[in-house]
């Protein structure tokens, strides 16, 4: 499909940036980020090339799961602003050509949601059947099923008021909505419709496998319900309301199970899926200095419909989960990147950001982000990655990586003018604190991570072969340490090389089909001049943890400069 080229199916060539309003930028000086503060930073984000924002939940919430526990789906948490501020944000983002997607957290509500309060108080209430109840837990021991084993040991909790048990895969304060109830499905559509009407471009759908799983439900309606129909209905609904709105699904499953959530040939379920298998194997490959785990997962990646896209990421807002690795493999990653107990979480993940895990090794950190921007899929950044922020392990659990954005070395890191004790979360100190890592200093330093990131994002956006093209792994004679791949799209090809080893290496890259290729153009730092190509093998040196991108250019090309 070439109509509109790279602007059609915009999510195939987007750069997504995830942030939590609360920790991004505080405008009213209360120590908590707000919508106006974010609006004031849209030009910064547009400047680094972000084309789509993903906002973590900002609706009213008792905040017992950082906003993933909502009490009103049709409002903004008053601590963060108003619906008016939200619309001002959307308008500003649109004006700068940026899309906005928001979290759709409808697998569960907060137990403080008026629906749940009504449901507990009166079994005759229409809201009772909004949730999943049982007179007795259907299984005695569900401790292996809980998502947060540090806090919960069962997915069923007895409600003192109604005397019945309710289902919660996550915390007990997050009762599961009953998707088998058509009224709940209508409500979900109404919520999605509301935010689309206010201008959002789609949703990051939280906890999809739980959301669409009707098996837990005791109701007869659940029996004949196909979970994938639920997603198909939601997709059809949002597409009717807004043709180019997207669903980005959080489905942490191995590749085979994952693929189903795109839908069949028709691509009629979610548009995008986070590639959890790729992320996990990438960390194993990094820990081993050996590309082969990554190579294998890429080879096994199932083909997807043209409209669909993988969302790839180095770090998200949760624990860096390694649950798809074997125990021994996970231990290797723990040993390499988070050896202390305090760095690990739930026995399956790490609560650190990348730069401290790689001990600040700049070449290696950039190699990883170069991978993020050159592997097929749409890159998703977590705020602060562009300047190489670290975590604050003094903050419990998953929140260690959700510290305030570090804008400058001013007191309060330019995040807020409030006294530090009023901050929503404490800043890290030391070598990853705001005195060492901040936007203001990095803007003024041409060789900084921020300026490098800006250049690589610009290049990624001008390189649609990566988002749209067909992917092939290339031979280099150094399969263990070097990953070489090629993306082909519309008679243009891009080749990327990544050295997972700290030692320099000489590679002979077998480029494959070079019919019609006249030149090899270095797409990143340009340190290798444009070279005429005189055969299918490119012989070149890669530095330790080096990375390179090339375009194979034919005569009369119309590629970006
Ligand atoms: C998802 C979110 C996580 C949240 C959970 C419950 O896994 O990524 O942050 O705690 O759902 O909503």
């Amino acid at each position: 499909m070439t109509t509109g080229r790279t602007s059609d199916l915009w999510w195939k060539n987007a750069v997504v940036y995830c942030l939590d309003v609360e920790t991004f930028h505080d405008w009213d000086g209360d120590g908590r980020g707000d919508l106006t503060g974010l609006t004031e930073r849209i030009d910064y984000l547009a400047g680094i090339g972000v084309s789509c924002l993903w906002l973590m939940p900002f609706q009213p919430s008792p905040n017992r799961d950082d906003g993933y526990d909502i009490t009103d789906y049709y409002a903004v948490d008053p601590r963060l602003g108003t619906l008016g501020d939200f619309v001002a944000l959307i308008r500003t983002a649109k004006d700068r050509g940026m899309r906005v997607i928001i979290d759709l957290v409808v697998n569960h509500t907060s137990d403080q949601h008026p629906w749940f309060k009504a449901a507990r108080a009166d079994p005759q209430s229409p809201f009772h059947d909004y949730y999943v109840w049982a007179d007795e837990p259907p299984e005695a021991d569900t401790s292996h099923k809980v998502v947060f084993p540090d806090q919960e040991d069962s997915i069923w909790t007895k409600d003192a008021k109604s005397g019945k048990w309710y289902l919660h895969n996550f915390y007990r304060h997050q009762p599961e909505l009953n998707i088998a109830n058509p009224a709940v499905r209508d409500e979900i559509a109404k919520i999605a419709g509301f935010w689309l009407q206010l201008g959002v471009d789609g949703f990051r759908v939280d906890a999809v496998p739980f959301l669409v799983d009707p098996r837990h439900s005791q109701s007869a309606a659940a029996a004949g319900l196909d979970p994938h129909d639920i997603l198909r209905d939601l997709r059809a609904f949002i597409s009717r309301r807004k043709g180019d709105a997207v669903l980005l699904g959080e489905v942490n499953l191995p590749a085979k199970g994952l693929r189903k959530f795109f839908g069949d040939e028709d691509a009629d379920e979610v548009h995008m899926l986070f590639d959890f298998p790729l992320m996990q194997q990438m960390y194993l490959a990094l820990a081993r200095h050996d590309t082969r785990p990554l190579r294998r997962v890429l080879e096994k990646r199932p083909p997807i419909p043209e409209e669909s896209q993988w969302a790839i990421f180095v770090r998200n807002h949760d624990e860096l989960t390694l649950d798809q690795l074997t125990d021994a493999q996970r231990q290797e990653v723990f040993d390499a990147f988070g050896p202390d107990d305090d760095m690990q979480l739930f026995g399956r993940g790490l609560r650190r950001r990348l730069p401290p895990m790689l001990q600040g090794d700049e070449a290696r950190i950039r190699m990883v982000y170069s991978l993020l921007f050159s592997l097929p899929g749409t890159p998703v950044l977590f705020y602060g990655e562009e300047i190489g922020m670290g975590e604050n392990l003094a903050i419990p659990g998953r929140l260690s990586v959700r510290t305030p954005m570090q804008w400058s070395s001013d007191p309060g890191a330019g995040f807020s003018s409030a006294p530090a004790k009023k901050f929503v979360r404490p800043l890290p100190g030391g070598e990853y604190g705001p005195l060492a890592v901040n936007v203001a200093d990095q803007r003024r330093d041409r060789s900084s991570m921020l300026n490098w990131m800006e250049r690589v994002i610009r290049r990624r956006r001008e390189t649609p072969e990566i988002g749209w093209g067909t992917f092939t792994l290339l031979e280099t004679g150094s399969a263990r340490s070097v990953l070489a791949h090629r993306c082909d799209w519309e008679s243009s090809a891009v080749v990327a090389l990544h050295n997972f080893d700290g030692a320099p290496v000489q590679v002979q890259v077998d480029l494959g089909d070079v019919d019609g290729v006249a030149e090899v153009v270095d797409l990143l730092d340009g340190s290798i001049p444009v070279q005429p190509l005189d055969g299918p093998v490119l012989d070149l040196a890669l530095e330790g943890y080096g990375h390179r991108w090339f375009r194979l250019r034919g005569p009369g090309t119309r590629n970006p400069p």
Side-chain angles (χ1 to χ4, degrees):
M1 178 186 308
T2 53
T3 321
R5 286 187 40 107
T6 56
S7 61
D8 197 23
L9 310 187
W10 60 268
W11 56 91
K12 298 221 34 148
N13 203 39
V15 175
V16 183
Y17 188 98
C18 167
L19 65 86
D20 189 358
V21 174
E22 194 174 49
T23 53
F24 201 62
H25 187 217
D26 172 21
W27 196 248
D28 63 8
D30 64 354
R32 187 183 295 271
D34 43 45
L35 287 167
T36 305
L38 167 57
T39 306
E40 293 291 329
R41 288 289 182 265
I42 290 295
D43 283 316
Y44 162 80
L45 294 170
I48 59 175
V50 169
S51 63
C52 176
L53 276 184
W54 154 24
L55 302 183
M56 287 166 63
F58 51 80
Q59 291 85 356
S61 161
N63 244 343
R64 295 179 67 192
D65 184 13
D66 202 19
Y68 284 88
D69 47 335
I70 290 174
T71 52
D72 182 356
Y73 288 99
Y74 301 102
V76 166
D77 190 315
R79 290 167 292 197
L80 308 179
T82 63
L83 277 177
D85 297 331
F86 182 80
V87 171
L89 164 69
I90 295 283
R91 196 211 72 87
T92 308
K94 293 283 143 92
D95 184 64
R96 311 305 197 266
M98 204 183 290
R99 316 228 176 206
V100 181
I101 65 173
I102 65 172
D103 247 291
L104 183 67
V105 188
V106 287
N107 171 66
H108 47 263
T109 67
S110 158
D111 63 355
Q112 300 305 307
H113 196 293
W115 298 340
F116 192 64
K117 288 186 175 171
R120 303 167 72 173
D122 178 8
Q124 303 311 318
S125 149
F127 294 108
H128 188 74
D129 201 26
Y130 267 41
Y131 296 89
V132 184
W133 299 97
D135 293 330
E136 286 298 329
E139 294 166 273
D141 181 8
T142 54
S143 54
H144 56 289
K145 291 190 175 173
V146 301
V147 178
F148 299 129
D150 61 331
Q151 305 271 328
E152 305 293 346
D153 55 15
S154 168
I155 60 171
W156 293 94
T157 289
K158 188 166 187 176
D159 169 43
K161 231 176 197 162
S162 62
K164 289 182 165 181
W165 299 73
Y166 65 90
L167 175 74
H168 57 85
N169 286 297
F170 297 90
Y171 298 113
R172 71 184 62 193
H173 59 76
Q174 292 169 323
E176 208 98 351
L177 281 166
N178 176 14
I179 195 85
N181 180 348
V184 168
R185 295 204 297 278
D186 283 353
E187 197 78 55
I188 293 173
K190 200 198 285 182
I191 294 163
F194 175 80
W195 293 103
L196 287 173
Q197 204 74 30
L198 289 187
V200 307
D201 298 284
F203 303 93
R204 179 263 188 190
V205 191
D206 190 55
V208 176
F210 299 101
L211 166 68
V212 300
D213 186 351
R215 276 174 311 176
H216 300 290
S217 174
Q218 305 302 296
S219 78
L225 206 59
D226 174 354
H228 290 275
D229 275 344
I230 299 167
L231 281 182
R232 276 189 278 270
D233 287 352
L234 184 61
R235 163 76 173 258
F237 173 82
I238 70 151
S239 305
R240 285 198 301 277
R241 291 292 170 95
K242 187 169 192 188
D244 64 353
V246 291
L247 296 175
L248 162 56
E250 184 204 20
V251 180
N252 178 13
L253 289 177
K256 222 167 129 220
L258 199 51
R259 165 66 185 83
K260 289 198 183 92
F261 290 82
F262 284 124
D264 301 325
E265 289 305 298
D266 307 336
D268 54 0
E269 298 185 39
V270 301
H271 302 74
M272 301 174 81
L273 283 167
F274 289 106
D275 197 336
F276 280 94
L278 179 82
M279 182 279 288
Q280 302 196 27
Q281 297 297 328
M282 180 187 80
Y283 278 96
L284 183 61
L286 288 170
R288 289 182 176 170
H289 296 92
D290 181 344
T291 66
R292 287 172 295 182
L294 186 55
R295 200 176 280 272
R296 278 194 290 272
V297 77
L298 283 162
E299 277 164 351
K300 279 200 298 198
R301 232 186 190 188
I304 59 174
E306 190 179 30
E307 279 197 24
S308 312
Q309 181 63 301
W310 297 107
I312 47 184
F313 61 105
V314 167
R315 193 65 183 89
N316 68 7
H317 62 290
D318 284 324
E319 81 280 9
L320 190 169
T321 183
L322 302 165
D323 62 346
Q324 294 186 25
L325 303 185
T326 65
D327 291 351
Q329 292 171 339
R330 187 178 318 108
Q331 194 56 47
E332 283 179 69
V333 181
F334 282 174
D335 291 345
F337 302 135
D340 301 352
D341 284 353
D342 187 35
M343 297 168 173
Q344 302 163 13
L345 199 61
F346 310 137
R348 63 170 184 250
L350 289 166
R351 50 190 217 101
R352 309 188 74 191
R353 283 182 179 250
L354 184 78
M357 288 197 283
L358 300 187
Q359 288 161 337
D361 185 328
E362 237 172 56
R364 201 174 182 199
I365 295 166
R366 291 181 189 190
M367 188 275 282
V368 175
Y369 285 104
S370 164
L371 262 180
L372 171 74
F373 288 106
S374 63
L375 286 175
T378 285
V380 181
L381 283 171
F382 184 48
Y383 76 95
E385 284 191 289
E386 74 273 26
I387 53 170
M389 269 170 53
E391 68 280 346
N392 183 352
L393 290 174
I395 306 173
R398 291 172 294 153
L399 300 182
S400 57
V401 298
R402 304 187 200 173
T403 55
M405 179 68 183
Q406 296 170 191
W407 295 103
S408 72
S409 57
D410 294 346
F415 161 69
S416 169
S417 58
K421 63 175 187 322
K422 291 182 104 184
F423 272 35
V424 58
R425 229 157 268 145
L427 290 156
E431 51 182 328
Y432 292 97
L435 294 182
V437 176
N438 68 68
V439 172
D441 291 352
Q442 291 197 19
R443 287 193 76 152
R444 289 160 181 78
D445 171 2
R446 286 198 55 75
S447 64
S448 68
M449 179 76 179
L450 178 61
N451 278 308
W452 178 84
M453 194 69 100
E454 197 175 310
R455 290 194 295 275
V456 96
I457 292 176
R458 173 197 286 254
R459 185 50 88 187
R460 170 63 184 79
R461 289 185 55 174
E462 291 176 339
T463 312
E465 292 94 330
I466 298 169
W468 283 84
T470 35
F471 167 82
T472 345
L473 285 167
L474 304 177
E475 297 302 327
T476 62
S478 305
R480 192 186 165 97
S481 55
V482 177
L483 187 85
H485 71 272
R486 167 173 171 156
C487 299
D488 281 75
W489 184 62
E490 295 200 332
S491 48
S492 181
V494 165
V495 169
L497 307 175
H498 293 89
N499 184 1
F500 279 56
D501 199 88
V505 60
Q506 190 72 26
V507 285
Q508 288 78 40
V509 192
D510 184 345
L511 296 171
D513 180 6
V514 287
D515 262 10
V517 177
E519 296 169 327
V520 177
V521 183
D522 184 341
L523 293 182
L524 292 181
D525 63 4
S527 61
I528 298 180
V530 175
Q531 298 181 6
L533 188 76
D534 56 5
V537 177
L538 190 64
D539 191 340
L540 89 173
L542 264 182
E543 287 162 16
Y545 300 127
H547 64 272
R548 295 237 169 261
W549 301 10
F550 299 102
R551 183 173 269 125
L552 307 181
R553 196 159 74 177
T557 176
R558 291 189 291 173
N559 291 125

